[in-house]
Amino acid sequence: MKALETREDIELLVDKFYDKVGSDDIIGFFFNDIAKVDWNHHLPKMYNFWETLLFGKSAYKGNPMAAHFPLNEIVPMEKSHFEHWLKLWTETIDELFSGSMAETAKYKASNIASLMAYKMEMARKL
Ligand code: HEM
């Protein structure tokens, strides 16, 4: 298994992950039906996001949390959705990569997913 070390690796990982997400019974509808995501726009944004998070490149300029509040207002984004998101992310990494950067990608995703789940829950209580 290979190390996660280049922009091309991130593109492969993100493509495979969103292939799964797009046809997923539990969270796919957020992308397909609620946000009606334009994948040609979303995928490059996500390459940049992960390149920034993992390799410290300043490719991504945005606010990941803010993008999710409007979705959460339409359909509650529950802890179980984030756990499932993380399961798919972890599975995809394990299928493709190993090593310390692969572990970091799982760890960082897990932290953000927990924080995001918490923020979505709090927003619903306001
Ligand atoms: C159940 C879990 C999640 C769902 C259903 C979900 C869904 C979405 C959707 C539909 C968009 C596109 C919004 C739009 O363009 O209209 C989006 C954007 C995004 N998501 Fe998520 N997401 C989830 C979890 C996460 C997590 C855990 C992360 C980070 C590790 C993340 C990072 C991002 C980023 C960076 C964007 C782009 C924000 C921007 O426009 O700059 N998402 N998400």
Side-chain angles (χ1 to χ4, degrees):
M1 202 76 81
K2 118 173 232 342
L4 172 49
E5 54 194 353
T6 65
R7 166 84 181 192
E8 287 68 35
D9 293 340
I10 286 182
E11 291 182 6
L12 178 67
L13 169 60
V14 167
D15 285 351
K16 295 255 170 178
F17 173 65
Y18 285 104
D19 270 356
K20 290 186 195 207
V21 165
S23 58
D24 185 77
D25 290 344
I26 298 171
I27 59 169
F29 74 97
F30 280 107
F31 296 83
N32 298 320
D33 305 328
I34 310 282
K36 298 190 173 59
V37 159
D38 173 355
W39 294 104
N40 292 328
H41 183 69
H42 186 61
L43 294 176
K45 207 189 274 188
M46 299 312 294
Y47 305 151
N48 289 342
F49 174 73
W50 282 106
E51 200 178 24
T52 297
L53 219 57
L54 298 179
F55 305 150
K57 297 270 165 65
S58 60
Y60 176 76
K61 299 208 170 40
N63 184 339
M65 289 296 159
H68 300 83
F69 288 114
L71 306 175
N72 186 49
E73 280 179 20
I74 300 169
V75 177
M77 296 181 79
E78 307 280 359
K79 191 162 178 259
S80 58
H81 293 129
F82 286 98
E83 284 167 355
H84 190 68
W85 183 104
L86 190 62
K87 178 173 170 281
L88 296 179
W89 179 250
T90 302
E91 268 175 24
T92 314
I93 293 183
D94 288 340
E95 281 162 19
L96 297 168
F97 300 105
S98 63
S100 67
M101 194 55 84
E103 293 307 311
T104 301
K106 290 188 255 181
Y107 173 75
K108 291 201 170 184
S110 161
N111 281 345
I112 299 170
S114 301
L115 180 65
M116 214 180 259
Y118 174 75
K119 292 206 172 202
M120 296 306 134
E121 195 187 332
M122 287 301 120
R124 291 198 296 275
K125 290 184 175 159
L126 290 176

